[in-house]
Amino acid sequence: MKRTNRFLEVAAVAGVLVLGVSGLGATASAAVSAAPGCDVAAAYYDTAPNSGNIAMVSNAVHCLIDAERAAAGLPPLTRVSSLDAAASGHAAAAASLKWWSPGADSHTNPQTGSTPWSRITGAGYCPNPVSWAYAETTYTGWGGSGTPRAAVHWWVHVSTYGHRQIVLSPTLTQLGVGVAAGAADPAGAGGSGGGTYVVDFGRCQQ
């Protein structure tokens, strides 16, 4: 059994995928790496996250996203530490608070009020940009649907709420992945194999 969030919010405007902001500056965002060794990460494509495998499950999400982009003729995305921090914090909060029930806004934390914009900028992504863009996707599942493959498949091949357009965006070039064990939907609180996924995408020109 699974539940998936079906709401997309970027810059607090439903349906908008990216936001450009003008400014000045020349400080580069800290890049972690391009896609990790996907031959190793492939072993985790169908594995739900737990306390001992979060890093590898996170790498698996990145690899699966890059594979979908390659199939569409798009380049891979570069991992960025600030986007990782923003996504990871939101995934952990969601799995703990479990507010992603059907109809809820999975992108706004009901306790702190944080949004994709506040989390991404708060993590230090793309300071003083000439132009920049960002987007966020979320997913939670359990009972066999809490895996990286289930999350990326839903974003690209099932959702009709703009997730595919984000993952396969030709203009977004960077990402950060957040993964937490357990479902963020209260209906999955007692379910086995739960996983919560947040991916923050970006483009930064400085």
Side-chain angles (χ1 to χ4, degrees):
M1 183 177 183
K2 69 177 179 180
R3 295 291 178 89
T4 50
N5 175 70
R6 298 194 174 192
F7 286 81
L8 173 67
E9 177 189 316
V10 177
V13 180
V16 178
L17 302 185
V18 294
L19 173 69
V21 179
S22 296
L24 297 173
T27 304
S29 295
V32 176
S33 67
C38 293
D39 53 340
V40 176
Y44 295 84
Y45 287 177
D46 298 302
T47 301
N50 59 52
S51 60
N53 68 7
I54 295 295
M56 292 309 302
V57 170
S58 173
N59 289 346
V61 173
H62 186 178
C63 288
L64 287 164
I65 286 173
D66 277 354
E68 292 286 359
R69 290 177 61 85
L74 296 168
L77 299 172
T78 300
R79 196 80 170 261
V80 176
S81 59
S82 54
L83 291 177
D84 267 347
S88 295
H90 190 52
S96 175
L97 297 176
K98 300 189 185 306
W99 81 85
W100 292 6
S101 56
D105 176 6
S106 68
H107 301 280
T108 302
N109 185 309
Q111 286 193 353
T112 67
S114 75
T115 64
W117 182 86
S118 69
R119 290 188 294 272
I120 289 168
T121 57
Y125 179 68
C126 200
N128 303 312
V130 173
S131 69
W132 72 299
Y134 67 89
E136 180 173 273
T137 62
T138 63
Y139 174 93
T140 193
W142 63 94
S145 296
T147 66
R149 194 190 303 272
V152 176
H153 177 81
W154 190 81
W155 288 328
V156 177
H157 300 287
V158 179
S159 171
T160 58
Y161 293 86
H163 298 85
R164 176 182 176 88
Q165 288 79 3
I166 292 174
V167 174
L168 302 183
S169 169
T171 60
L172 296 171
T173 59
Q174 300 173 320
L175 88 168
V177 181
V179 175
D185 186 328
S192 62
T196 296
Y197 299 86
V198 178
V199 181
D200 287 331
F201 298 82
R203 172 183 56 77
C204 180
Q205 180 183 356
Q206 295 173 305

